[in-house]
Amino acid sequence: MLKGKTALVTGSTSGIGLGIALTLARQGADIVLNGFGDHAGPKAEVEALGVKVGYHGADMSKPAEIEAMMAYIDQQFGGCDILVNNAGIQHVANVDEFPPEKWDAILAINLSSAFHTMRLALPGMKKKQWGRVINIASTHGLVASAGKSAYVAAKHGLVGLTKAAALETATLPVTVNAICPGWVLTPLVQKQIDARSEKDKLDPAEAKRQLLAEKQPSLQFTTPEELGALAVFLCSDAAVNVRGQAWAMDGGWTAQ
Ligand code: NAD
């Protein structure tokens, strides 16, 4: 279904981003990976699906590096047809104890990076008369939790950016949407489970159970594969009139 399209998935060396990259590759899309840590393993995993794969190590908090990555995609892949803004970080502390440099980093990586990739990718999408932007927000783009001010502010901002860009492209075959996952068991969430386990002296399985029970009525983690399947739907022709949505996949979290 996506043969001939190129997808950039930011923050795709791990977790949700890698899951979405693999799902899009199974539909035939060429993939550009991005993110820190080992990239050879994820690259080989996607390559095994028979598509063209690139990697760019841009730090998503640095606009000049984002510009270099988008130029690399234009040169090596003929542009970015599917843009998945997924890179993100978390830090948990109350506002009056929140380190200002963490605030700046979360806003830069979780929100501003999507503005930069979008401003650079949208002209090519308009020219080619096809494009899909999928912003990975969070339930925290819709509701808040204590201790996550920067993350909640950035994700609410990302949902707002999604809506504004969707209106600007409303008459074009270019759609802009957000996906709002609930808990997904990735390294980002494992750190929060470990912190809970240490703080409350719980065994890891009990810490995991309590984390889910507090917010996610299904008591099950959403998986990267399920999120990938939603991304594939948003890329399909059937989804051409889904615009400016913040689509939750959260086991009922935001239904409460
Ligand atoms: P993860 O920690 O497994 O992956 C994050 C990815 O982002 C990694 O590839 C990492 O290298 C990359 N990254 C981090 N900082 C970067 C930077 N400055 N430049 C480039 N890449 C950078 O996390 P995840 O859980 O897979 O999260 C992915 C996205 O999904 C994030 O935006 C997160 O907010 C969102 N999300 C996660 C959950 C969850 O429960 N895990 C829920 C809702 C939303």
Side-chain angles (χ1 to χ4, degrees):
M1 183 184 113
L2 298 175
K3 217 170 165 32
K5 309 290 189 203
T6 296
L8 165 65
V9 186
T10 68
S12 48
T13 47
S14 155
I16 294 171
L18 180 56
I20 291 178
L22 287 165
T23 316
L24 294 175
R26 280 189 203 103
Q27 295 296 322
D30 294 330
I31 303 290
V32 179
L33 297 170
N34 156 262
F36 297 152
D38 169 49
H39 65 269
K43 190 164 181 268
E45 221 180 311
V46 184
E47 255 160 6
L49 297 169
V51 298
K52 181 176 168 186
V53 188
Y55 167 79
H56 196 284
D59 179 337
M60 298 305 290
S61 68
K62 304 212 163 99
E65 294 189 22
I66 296 173
E67 283 183 20
M69 176 171 68
M70 301 312 282
Y72 157 82
I73 296 169
D74 284 345
Q75 282 152 18
Q76 301 293 322
F77 289 80
C80 172
D81 307 296
I82 300 166
L83 169 60
V84 183
N85 286 307
N86 167 80
I89 58 167
Q90 176 63 285
H91 183 81
V92 182
N94 286 347
V95 171
D96 49 345
E97 290 165 353
F98 213 90
E101 62 281 8
K102 288 276 183 206
W103 171 275
D104 288 344
I106 290 177
L107 268 287
I109 297 165
N110 297 18
L111 174 58
S112 299
S113 73
F115 160 69
H116 291 295
T117 54
M118 283 164 70
R119 78 180 168 81
L120 295 164
L122 282 169
M125 292 178 180
K126 288 179 185 170
K127 203 163 157 198
K128 286 199 209 167
Q129 285 288 295
W130 196 92
R132 294 288 187 267
V133 178
I134 301 172
N135 292 324
I136 306 303
S138 166
T139 48
H140 286 118
L142 303 168
V143 295
S145 293
K148 296 188 174 173
S149 56
Y151 189 86
V152 168
K155 295 297 188 180
H156 274 67
L158 188 57
V159 169
L161 170 63
T162 302
K163 290 179 185 175
L167 293 179
E168 291 171 10
T169 53
T171 59
L172 304 174
V174 173
T175 71
V176 184
N177 288 289
I179 293 178
C180 297
W183 290 125
V184 185
L185 191 52
T186 65
L188 182 140
V189 165
Q190 189 61 49
K191 273 189 221 153
Q192 295 173 62
I193 294 171
D194 295 345
R196 180 184 287 256
S197 163
E198 201 179 303
K199 182 171 152 276
D200 299 338
K201 313 234 169 324
L202 299 169
D203 76 73
E206 179 55 17
K208 203 184 277 182
R209 197 198 63 75
Q210 286 189 13
L211 177 108
L212 281 172
E214 216 170 73
K215 301 277 188 187
Q216 197 144 307
S218 68
L219 302 178
Q220 283 175 36
F221 289 101
T222 299
T223 67
E225 293 69 30
E226 288 161 0
L227 293 165
L230 179 52
V232 167
F233 170 67
L234 291 174
C235 290
S236 71
D237 291 342
V240 75
N241 224 15
V242 181
R243 291 172 184 268
Q245 291 305 301
W247 193 322
M249 202 183 230
D250 64 1
W253 180 329
T254 51
Q256 297 170 100

